[in-house]
């Protein structure tokens, strides 16, 4: 992932995304204008660039009138922000000059390394030339400003890319001349995939395949490139590639690898040396992985080394698995069994070089010092010749990457090479891969039992299961936890579980002797480049269980594609996990580690922080994430809920790229996937004291919560928004949050609480002269009063709400209030007026494309039609509602629709269909969280069964409805349940109980002013 940043002084990285570093600290130079000006100057250090050149680089041909002024302002700010900036960027004549030294800019070092490579090649020093080219290419991270610099910088970037590809081709030529063949195939394929028109790379791949004994594949590669060029450009391959093809067809001896300098004869060790670590007696689980690895050996074809790369996060048991397999295979590889720690992730020690590794392996075989060449290339050559002549196991443990392993491989050979690494070694050509995840729960428990002892573990089975969960089923964490318990016989498993529940100190608890989960994770972290370490810390701020690429882009302040590259790299390094394409997650312990790295995580507000870089870095990331969430939910809700009022204050569009949200289906899918992450984002905003974000984001998130029937979360989210708005002292945001809380209270049957909230919200709306707020809150108040059977008080409020909404042209809101008015009239027995209100609601909703509101209106219209005994018309209305209802109704509302459909079908004599819908209405979901719907559905289906003479079942359903309605004070359904119970009891012969219930029902209906029989 590029060079690490260390040492002292200011350094600039422009080969990729722009970075400025002052020693280990990153310097933020400003926005895109600042970066483009500075990169343009750094492209030609020591040269004066006139202002008009800088203007052109920033704006191309679209420069504003103030462009020159903006450039000068940007230079002034750069001088302030960059340490010693006044001496770094100087004014000369008509422009500016960057006075950087060659070692300060990665492009200068890149150019110097290419120059050294040319000189070394001319002098016949191929090994030195290859080293210089590698150093140059290691500096490359991508196009200037990641390709976002405009036409001037894009042209410069294209020229640099050509220089880079030429250097790549030169390095491959040198490596082919040095005898590297098969190991180049994977690398060459990768470059060809990115640059399919480079015939030089195609020829190098054909030559590497031919020299590796893969003539047919080399010829196949020529056929591919010929077909590609004809399809893309209408031309065939050039002369050089065609001549190479003919030479491969002839098996020309001219294509043989150049003779290599004679090296020492292979060393023949005495006996069968083995340096394998001991096999764990309590090795647990991993049967599938061991079987897979042994299977590779059984099926191994060819003469090259059999390579098995085992990757996994730190502490996943890679070495233990490799050691177990190696011990089981010693009889098949009798010459030697060697283990070498390559120190890819070892504290305070650099990775082992290929030359040092070769020397260590030769000494393991007993080679005397005088037989081992002094130079690295000689040692590697002797090792490879020795490896070619032996049948042995080579366990290369703790590899940093593929480049550390390739020089140690020889062909032909009968050696089994096992490589372990925390990184996915995808570019190790011809290697089999075994990727280790965490252990299955039953194996985790077995491991704890094996270390702790069966008696103690089985005495607390529930606590042991919780212990394995808190350890994230990571073998190292499980072993440490079990070892701590074994050392402390007075500790119960439950005691350690309780200690591990404190997430802030969990990693500190997983520490025993020299083994520590935190140290293991830190080694992986410190192996990253400085840029990737910063990205890892910022990703730790994401509050959800899963991270999608667009949210990652917001956190990292990058485009989604660039963010995905970072996520994929961290996935390859096993610092992230992935269970679904495009979605990433932290292992629980890795998440704790990432959050601990950022000192401001979950702590004070950005304004109240201590000003440390960790706090400021985290604060910026959290703000970007919340801005992104607000922008994305705005876009999604606009698609799903047409005609909704945009919230004042949410118009600020986030700088982050939004996911594709162009259709209602995309919006619905995104909200469903991100629902839990959005809830967590609101909590994150509240912890950081970003109260405006809390209120604005919550006002969007309640829409999908309501749609999916997650009503308790709807209420809790609204309570959080109310608390944040009070803390902020923003009356407008408080009014909005109180209003949403009142709606949640109505849906949950918390009517008195809802009235209190809506009255406070209405008072705020009046004081703010917020007419839209007045309309919303007086309507909600009417809805709540109606639920309590206080129709005389509810009616004028609903009428007032509708009048204001009509005056404001708020058609969606008016339709919503009209359905509420229709419901009031229907409950009151005034069915013609209910029909009028519902018909108007359906028409309005249809005109603005608000399908969710149209379905609500149709349901209320059907209720009114059924009340008028217009069953045929009601059935047709319900048919329309069912057709539209898919994905726009909550489970509770869908249950009501199905119950009404069953009622209409039964009254039309469609018994079988009625039964199906009635059963579905009762079984669709748990209605206990939506008591007003539970009561209504129970009463409707109860009456259906009463008509069929199934009085015992009808009684049970009415009793259930009565419990739901009386529990929340839903007066009309409580009275209907009493009446239904009375009818059922009378039919069942319990006349006295029936009389008591009927009297109670009559009194309730009378108190509400509902005519008998309604």
């Amino acid at each position: 992932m590029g060079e690490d940043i260390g040492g002292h002084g200011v350094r600039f990285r422009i080969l990729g995304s722009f970075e400025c570093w002052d020693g280990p600290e990153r310097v933020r130079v400003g926005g895109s204008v600042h970066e483009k000006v500075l990169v343009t100057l750094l492209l030609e250090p020591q040269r004066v660039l006139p202002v008009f050149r800088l203007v052109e680089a920033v704006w191309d041909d679209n420069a504003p009138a103030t462009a020159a002024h903006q450039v000068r302002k940007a230079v002034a700010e750069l001088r302030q922000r960059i340490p010693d900036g006044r001496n770094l960027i100087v004014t000369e004549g008509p422009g500016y000059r960057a006075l950087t030294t060659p070692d300060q800019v990665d492009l200068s070092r890149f150019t110097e390394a290419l120059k050294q490579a040319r000189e070394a090649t001319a002098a016949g020093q191929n090994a030195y030339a290859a080293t210089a080219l590698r150093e140059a290419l290691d500096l490359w991270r991508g196009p200037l400003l990641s390709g976002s610099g405009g036409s001037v910088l894009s042209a410069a970037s294209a020229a640099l890319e050509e220089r880079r590809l030429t250097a790549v081709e030169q390095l491959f030529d040198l490596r082919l001349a040095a005898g590297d063949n098969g190991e180049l195939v994977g690398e060459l394929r990768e470059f060809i995939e990115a640059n399919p028109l480079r015939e030089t790379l195609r020829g190098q791949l054909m030559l590497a395949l031919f020299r590796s004994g893969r003539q047919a594949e080399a010829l196949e590669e020529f056929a591919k490139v010929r077909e590609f060029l004809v399809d893309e450009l209408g031309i065939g391959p050039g002369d050089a590639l065609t001549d190479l093809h003919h030479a491969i067809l002839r098996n020309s001896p001219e294509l043989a690898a150049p003779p290599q300098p004679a090296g020492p004869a292979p060393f023949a060790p005495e006996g069968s040396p083995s340096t394998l670590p001991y096999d764990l007696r309590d090795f647990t689980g991993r049967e599938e992985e061991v079987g897979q690895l042994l299977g590779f050996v059984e099926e191994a074809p060819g003469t090259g080394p059999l390579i098995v790369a085992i990757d996994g996060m730190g502490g996943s048991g890679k070495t233990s698995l490799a050691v177990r397999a190696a011990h089981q295979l010693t009889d098949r590889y009798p010459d030697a069994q060697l283990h070498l720690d390559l120190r890819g992730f070892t504290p305070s020690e650099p990775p082992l070089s290929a030359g040092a590794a070769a020397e260590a392996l030769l000494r393991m075989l007993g080679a005397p010092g005088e037989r081992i060449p002094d130079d690295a290339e000689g040692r590697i050559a002797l090792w490879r010749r020795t490896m070619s002549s032996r049948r042995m196991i080579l366990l290369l443990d703790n590899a940093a990457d593929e480049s550390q392993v390739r020089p140690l491989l020889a062909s032909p050979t009968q050696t089994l090479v096992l490589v372990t690494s925390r990184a996915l070694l995808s570019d190790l050509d011809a290697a089999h891969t075994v990727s280790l995840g965490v252990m299955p729960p039953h194996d985790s428990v077995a491991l704890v039992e094996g270390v702790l002892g069966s008696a103690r573990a089985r005495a607390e089975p529930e606590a042991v299961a919780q212990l394995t969960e808190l350890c994230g089923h990571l073998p190292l964490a499980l072993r440490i936890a079990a070892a701590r318990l074994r050392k402390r016989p007075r500790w119960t498993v439950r005691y350690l579980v309780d200690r591990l529940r404190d997430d802030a100190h969990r990693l500190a608890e997983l520490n025993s002797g020299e083994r520590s989960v935190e140290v293991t994770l830190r080694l992986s972290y410190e192996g990253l480049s400085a840029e990737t370490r910063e990205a890892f810390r910022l990703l730790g701020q994401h509050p959800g269980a899963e991270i999608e690429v667009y949210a990652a882009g917001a956190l990292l302040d990058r485009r989604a594609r660039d963010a995905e590259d970072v996520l994929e790299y961290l996935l390859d390094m096993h610092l992230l996990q992935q269970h679904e394409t495009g979605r990433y997650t932290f292992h629980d312990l890795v998440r704790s580690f990432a959050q601990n790295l950022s000192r401001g995580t979950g702590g004070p507000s950005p304004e109240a922080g201590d000003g440390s870089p960790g706090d400021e870095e985290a604060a910026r990331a959290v703000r970007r994430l919340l801005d992104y969430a607000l922008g994305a939910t705005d876009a999604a809700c606009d698609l799903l809920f047409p005609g909704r009022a945009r919230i004042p204050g949410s118009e600020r569009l986030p700088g982050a790229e939004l996911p594709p949200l162009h259709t209602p289906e995309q919006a619905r899918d995104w909200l469903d996937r991100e629902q839990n992450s959005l809830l967590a984002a609101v909590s994150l905003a509240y912890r950081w004291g970003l109260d405006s974000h809390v209120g604005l984001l919550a006002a969007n998130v309640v829409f999908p919560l309501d749609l999916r029937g997650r009503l308790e979360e709807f209420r809790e989210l609204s309570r959080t928004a109310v608390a944040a708005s009070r803390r902020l002292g923003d009356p407008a945001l408080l009014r909005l949050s109180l209003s949403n809380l009142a709606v949640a209270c109505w849906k949950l049957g918390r009517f008195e609480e809802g009235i209190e909230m809506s009255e406070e919200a209405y008072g705020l709306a009046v004081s703010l002269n917020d007419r839209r707020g007045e309309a919303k809150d007086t309507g909600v108040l009417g809805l709540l009063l109606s639920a309590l059977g206080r129709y005389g008080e509810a009616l004028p409020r609903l009428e007032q709400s509708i009048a204001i909404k009509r005056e404001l042209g708020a058609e969606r809101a008016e339709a919503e209030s009209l359905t509420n008015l229709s419901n009031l009239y229907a409950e009151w027995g005034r069915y013609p007026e209910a029909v009028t209100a519902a018909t108007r609601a359906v028409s309005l909703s249809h005109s603005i494309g608000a399908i969710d509101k149209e379905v609500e209106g149709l349901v209320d219209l059907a209720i009114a039609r059924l009340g008028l005994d217009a069953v045929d018309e009601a059935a047709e209305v319900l048919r329309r509602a069912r057709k539209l209802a898919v994905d726009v109704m909550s489970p509770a509302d869908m249950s009501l629709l199905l119950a009404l459909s069953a009622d209409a079908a039964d009254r039309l004599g469609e018994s079988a269909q009625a039964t199906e819908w009635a059963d579905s209405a009762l079984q669709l979901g748990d209605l206990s969280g939506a008591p007003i719907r539970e009561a209504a559905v129970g009463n409707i289906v109860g009456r259906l069964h009463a008509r069929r003479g199934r009085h015992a079942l009808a009684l049970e359903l009415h009793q259930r409805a009565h419990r739901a309605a009386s529990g929340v004070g839903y007066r009309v359904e409580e009275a209907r349940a009493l009446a239904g119970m009375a009818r059922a009891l009378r039919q069942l012969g319990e006349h006295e109980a029936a009389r008591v219930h009927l009297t109670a029902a009559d009194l309730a209906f009378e108190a509400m002013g509902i005519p008998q029989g309604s």
Side-chain angles (χ1 to χ4, degrees), residues 837-857:
T839 302
R840 167 73 175 159
V842 170
S843 176
L844 273 177
S845 300
H846 184 76
S847 70
I848 62 172
I851 298 174
D852 57 325
K853 292 303 171 189
E854 184 176 356
V855 173
E856 289 178 13

PDB file of all heavy atoms in Angstrom, residues 837-857:
ATOM      1  N   ALA A 837     -64.627  11.521   2.878  1.00  0.00           N
ATOM      2  CA  ALA A 837     -63.255  11.858   3.290  1.00  0.00           C
ATOM      3  C   ALA A 837     -62.248  10.884   2.699  1.00  0.00           C
ATOM      4  O   ALA A 837     -61.190  11.284   2.186  1.00  0.00           O
ATOM      5  CB  ALA A 837     -63.162  11.860   4.821  1.00  0.00           C
ATOM      6  N   ALA A 838     -62.570   9.578   2.733  1.00  0.00           N
ATOM      7  CA  ALA A 838     -61.628   8.583   2.225  1.00  0.00           C
ATOM      8  C   ALA A 838     -61.461   8.703   0.715  1.00  0.00           C
ATOM      9  O   ALA A 838     -60.358   8.539   0.177  1.00  0.00           O
ATOM     10  CB  ALA A 838     -62.100   7.178   2.596  1.00  0.00           C
ATOM     11  N   THR A 839     -62.550   8.978   0.002  1.00  0.00           N
ATOM     12  CA  THR A 839     -62.461   9.130  -1.453  1.00  0.00           C
ATOM     13  C   THR A 839     -61.540  10.276  -1.823  1.00  0.00           C
ATOM     14  O   THR A 839     -60.708  10.170  -2.750  1.00  0.00           O
ATOM     15  CB  THR A 839     -63.864   9.353  -2.040  1.00  0.00           C
ATOM     16  OG1 THR A 839     -64.704   8.243  -1.697  1.00  0.00           O
ATOM     17  CG2 THR A 839     -63.797   9.491  -3.552  1.00  0.00           C
ATOM     18  N   ARG A 840     -61.657  11.391  -1.113  1.00  0.00           N
ATOM     19  CA  ARG A 840     -60.787  12.544  -1.356  1.00  0.00           C
ATOM     20  C   ARG A 840     -59.327  12.185  -1.044  1.00  0.00           C
ATOM     21  O   ARG A 840     -58.413  12.565  -1.786  1.00  0.00           O
ATOM     22  CB  ARG A 840     -61.250  13.713  -0.479  1.00  0.00           C
ATOM     23  CG  ARG A 840     -60.294  14.884  -0.353  1.00  0.00           C
ATOM     24  CD  ARG A 840     -60.228  15.717  -1.594  1.00  0.00           C
ATOM     25  NE  ARG A 840     -59.369  16.890  -1.357  1.00  0.00           N
ATOM     26  CZ  ARG A 840     -58.805  17.582  -2.331  1.00  0.00           C
ATOM     27  NH1 ARG A 840     -58.999  17.252  -3.593  1.00  0.00           N
ATOM     28  NH2 ARG A 840     -58.050  18.627  -2.053  1.00  0.00           N
ATOM     29  N   ALA A 841     -59.097  11.421   0.020  1.00  0.00           N
ATOM     30  CA  ALA A 841     -57.735  11.017   0.392  1.00  0.00           C
ATOM     31  C   ALA A 841     -57.113  10.151  -0.693  1.00  0.00           C
ATOM     32  O   ALA A 841     -55.939  10.331  -1.063  1.00  0.00           O
ATOM     33  CB  ALA A 841     -57.757  10.267   1.723  1.00  0.00           C
ATOM     34  N   VAL A 842     -57.879   9.201  -1.225  1.00  0.00           N
ATOM     35  CA  VAL A 842     -57.369   8.316  -2.270  1.00  0.00           C
ATOM     36  C   VAL A 842     -57.016   9.118  -3.519  1.00  0.00           C
ATOM     37  O   VAL A 842     -55.954   8.920  -4.139  1.00  0.00           O
ATOM     38  CB  VAL A 842     -58.414   7.230  -2.603  1.00  0.00           C
ATOM     39  CG1 VAL A 842     -57.998   6.446  -3.856  1.00  0.00           C
ATOM     40  CG2 VAL A 842     -58.588   6.282  -1.426  1.00  0.00           C
ATOM     41  N   SER A 843     -57.878  10.060  -3.890  1.00  0.00           N
ATOM     42  CA  SER A 843     -57.638  10.864  -5.088  1.00  0.00           C
ATOM     43  C   SER A 843     -56.381  11.707  -4.949  1.00  0.00           C
ATOM     44  O   SER A 843     -55.549  11.769  -5.873  1.00  0.00           O
ATOM     45  CB  SER A 843     -58.852  11.762  -5.350  1.00  0.00           C
ATOM     46  OG  SER A 843     -58.619  12.615  -6.454  1.00  0.00           O
ATOM     47  N   LEU A 844     -56.223  12.362  -3.813  1.00  0.00           N
ATOM     48  CA  LEU A 844     -55.027  13.187  -3.582  1.00  0.00           C
ATOM     49  C   LEU A 844     -53.757  12.335  -3.630  1.00  0.00           C
ATOM     50  O   LEU A 844     -52.767  12.709  -4.262  1.00  0.00           O
ATOM     51  CB  LEU A 844     -55.130  13.883  -2.223  1.00  0.00           C
ATOM     52  CG  LEU A 844     -55.839  15.233  -2.147  1.00  0.00           C
ATOM     53  CD1 LEU A 844     -55.879  15.706  -0.699  1.00  0.00           C
ATOM     54  CD2 LEU A 844     -55.124  16.270  -3.004  1.00  0.00           C
ATOM     55  N   SER A 845     -53.787  11.222  -2.950  1.00  0.00           N
ATOM     56  CA  SER A 845     -52.599  10.366  -2.884  1.00  0.00           C
ATOM     57  C   SER A 845     -52.224   9.862  -4.263  1.00  0.00           C
ATOM     58  O   SER A 845     -51.038   9.828  -4.633  1.00  0.00           O
ATOM     59  CB  SER A 845     -52.848   9.188  -1.935  1.00  0.00           C
ATOM     60  OG  SER A 845     -53.151   9.636  -0.630  1.00  0.00           O
ATOM     61  N   HIS A 846     -53.210   9.457  -5.019  1.00  0.00           N
ATOM     62  CA  HIS A 846     -52.934   8.947  -6.362  1.00  0.00           C
ATOM     63  C   HIS A 846     -52.326  10.033  -7.251  1.00  0.00           C
ATOM     64  O   HIS A 846     -51.424   9.763  -8.050  1.00  0.00           O
ATOM     65  CB  HIS A 846     -54.231   8.418  -6.986  1.00  0.00           C
ATOM     66  CG  HIS A 846     -54.032   7.779  -8.323  1.00  0.00           C
ATOM     67  ND1 HIS A 846     -53.499   6.515  -8.461  1.00  0.00           N
ATOM     68  CD2 HIS A 846     -54.270   8.240  -9.587  1.00  0.00           C
ATOM     69  CE1 HIS A 846     -53.418   6.223  -9.761  1.00  0.00           C
ATOM     70  NE2 HIS A 846     -53.885   7.261 -10.455  1.00  0.00           N
ATOM     71  N   SER A 847     -52.780  11.269  -7.091  1.00  0.00           N
ATOM     72  CA  SER A 847     -52.308  12.362  -7.950  1.00  0.00           C
ATOM     73  C   SER A 847     -50.839  12.676  -7.742  1.00  0.00           C
ATOM     74  O   SER A 847     -50.172  13.163  -8.650  1.00  0.00           O
ATOM     75  CB  SER A 847     -53.153  13.619  -7.710  1.00  0.00           C
ATOM     76  OG  SER A 847     -52.892  14.163  -6.421  1.00  0.00           O
ATOM     77  N   ILE A 848     -50.317  12.417  -6.539  1.00  0.00           N
ATOM     78  CA  ILE A 848     -48.896  12.720  -6.266  1.00  0.00           C
ATOM     79  C   ILE A 848     -48.032  11.462  -6.252  1.00  0.00           C
ATOM     80  O   ILE A 848     -46.832  11.530  -5.968  1.00  0.00           O
ATOM     81  CB  ILE A 848     -48.727  13.478  -4.929  1.00  0.00           C
ATOM     82  CG1 ILE A 848     -49.214  12.637  -3.747  1.00  0.00           C
ATOM     83  CG2 ILE A 848     -49.454  14.818  -4.977  1.00  0.00           C
ATOM     84  CD1 ILE A 848     -48.893  13.257  -2.385  1.00  0.00           C
ATOM     85  N   GLY A 849     -48.644  10.317  -6.542  1.00  0.00           N
ATOM     86  CA  GLY A 849     -47.871   9.073  -6.589  1.00  0.00           C
ATOM     87  C   GLY A 849     -47.497   8.522  -5.230  1.00  0.00           C
ATOM     88  O   GLY A 849     -46.559   7.719  -5.125  1.00  0.00           O
ATOM     89  N   ALA A 850     -48.229   8.919  -4.179  1.00  0.00           N
ATOM     90  CA  ALA A 850     -47.948   8.434  -2.819  1.00  0.00           C
ATOM     91  C   ALA A 850     -48.709   7.126  -2.602  1.00  0.00           C
ATOM     92  O   ALA A 850     -49.820   7.106  -2.052  1.00  0.00           O
ATOM     93  CB  ALA A 850     -48.343   9.481  -1.787  1.00  0.00           C
ATOM     94  N   ILE A 851     -48.106   6.016  -3.030  1.00  0.00           N
ATOM     95  CA  ILE A 851     -48.810   4.732  -2.994  1.00  0.00           C
ATOM     96  C   ILE A 851     -49.147   4.326  -1.571  1.00  0.00           C
ATOM     97  O   ILE A 851     -50.214   3.776  -1.299  1.00  0.00           O
ATOM     98  CB  ILE A 851     -47.952   3.649  -3.681  1.00  0.00           C
ATOM     99  CG1 ILE A 851     -47.741   4.006  -5.154  1.00  0.00           C
ATOM    100  CG2 ILE A 851     -48.617   2.283  -3.575  1.00  0.00           C
ATOM    101  CD1 ILE A 851     -46.800   3.069  -5.880  1.00  0.00           C
ATOM    102  N   ASP A 852     -48.237   4.602  -0.622  1.00  0.00           N
ATOM    103  CA  ASP A 852     -48.503   4.209   0.767  1.00  0.00           C
ATOM    104  C   ASP A 852     -49.751   4.896   1.295  1.00  0.00           C
ATOM    105  O   ASP A 852     -50.602   4.270   1.951  1.00  0.00           O
ATOM    106  CB  ASP A 852     -47.292   4.499   1.642  1.00  0.00           C
ATOM    107  CG  ASP A 852     -46.870   5.968   1.600  1.00  0.00           C
ATOM    108  OD1 ASP A 852     -46.989   6.594   0.532  1.00  0.00           O
ATOM    109  OD2 ASP A 852     -46.414   6.484   2.638  1.00  0.00           O
ATOM    110  N   LYS A 853     -49.898   6.178   1.003  1.00  0.00           N
ATOM    111  CA  LYS A 853     -51.076   6.911   1.470  1.00  0.00           C
ATOM    112  C   LYS A 853     -52.331   6.515   0.696  1.00  0.00           C
ATOM    113  O   LYS A 853     -53.440   6.512   1.236  1.00  0.00           O
ATOM    114  CB  LYS A 853     -50.843   8.419   1.364  1.00  0.00           C
ATOM    115  CG  LYS A 853     -49.784   8.939   2.323  1.00  0.00           C
ATOM    116  CD  LYS A 853     -50.135   8.605   3.755  1.00  0.00           C
ATOM    117  CE  LYS A 853     -49.004   8.902   4.712  1.00  0.00           C
ATOM    118  NZ  LYS A 853     -49.285   8.371   6.074  1.00  0.00           N
ATOM    119  N   GLU A 854     -52.156   6.157  -0.579  1.00  0.00           N
ATOM    120  CA  GLU A 854     -53.298   5.705  -1.360  1.00  0.00           C
ATOM    121  C   GLU A 854     -53.865   4.412  -0.771  1.00  0.00           C
ATOM    122  O   GLU A 854     -55.088   4.247  -0.653  1.00  0.00           O
ATOM    123  CB  GLU A 854     -52.890   5.487  -2.817  1.00  0.00           C
ATOM    124  CG  GLU A 854     -54.062   5.109  -3.723  1.00  0.00           C
ATOM    125  CD  GLU A 854     -53.647   4.990  -5.188  1.00  0.00           C
ATOM    126  OE1 GLU A 854     -52.471   5.280  -5.509  1.00  0.00           O
ATOM    127  OE2 GLU A 854     -54.505   4.589  -6.006  1.00  0.00           O
ATOM    128  N   VAL A 855     -52.969   3.506  -0.378  1.00  0.00           N
ATOM    129  CA  VAL A 855     -53.428   2.248   0.223  1.00  0.00           C
ATOM    130  C   VAL A 855     -54.152   2.519   1.543  1.00  0.00           C
ATOM    131  O   VAL A 855     -55.199   1.929   1.824  1.00  0.00           O
ATOM    132  CB  VAL A 855     -52.246   1.280   0.428  1.00  0.00           C
ATOM    133  CG1 VAL A 855     -52.693   0.050   1.208  1.00  0.00           C
ATOM    134  CG2 VAL A 855     -51.666   0.866  -0.916  1.00  0.00           C
ATOM    135  N   GLU A 856     -53.608   3.430   2.370  1.00  0.00           N
ATOM    136  CA  GLU A 856     -54.276   3.769   3.624  1.00  0.00           C
ATOM    137  C   GLU A 856     -55.683   4.303   3.360  1.00  0.00           C
ATOM    138  O   GLU A 856     -56.647   3.944   4.050  1.00  0.00           O
ATOM    139  CB  GLU A 856     -53.454   4.810   4.394  1.00  0.00           C
ATOM    140  CG  GLU A 856     -52.159   4.280   4.975  1.00  0.00           C
ATOM    141  CD  GLU A 856     -51.363   5.371   5.674  1.00  0.00           C
ATOM    142  OE1 GLU A 856     -51.932   6.455   5.922  1.00  0.00           O
ATOM    143  OE2 GLU A 856     -50.175   5.148   5.959  1.00  0.00           O
ATOM    144  N   GLY A 857     -55.800   5.171   2.358  1.00  0.00           N
ATOM    145  CA  GLY A 857     -57.114   5.717   2.021  1.00  0.00           C
ATOM    146  C   GLY A 857     -58.071   4.650   1.534  1.00  0.00           C
ATOM    147  O   GLY A 857     -59.272   4.660   1.882  1.00  0.00           O
TER     148      GLY A 857
END
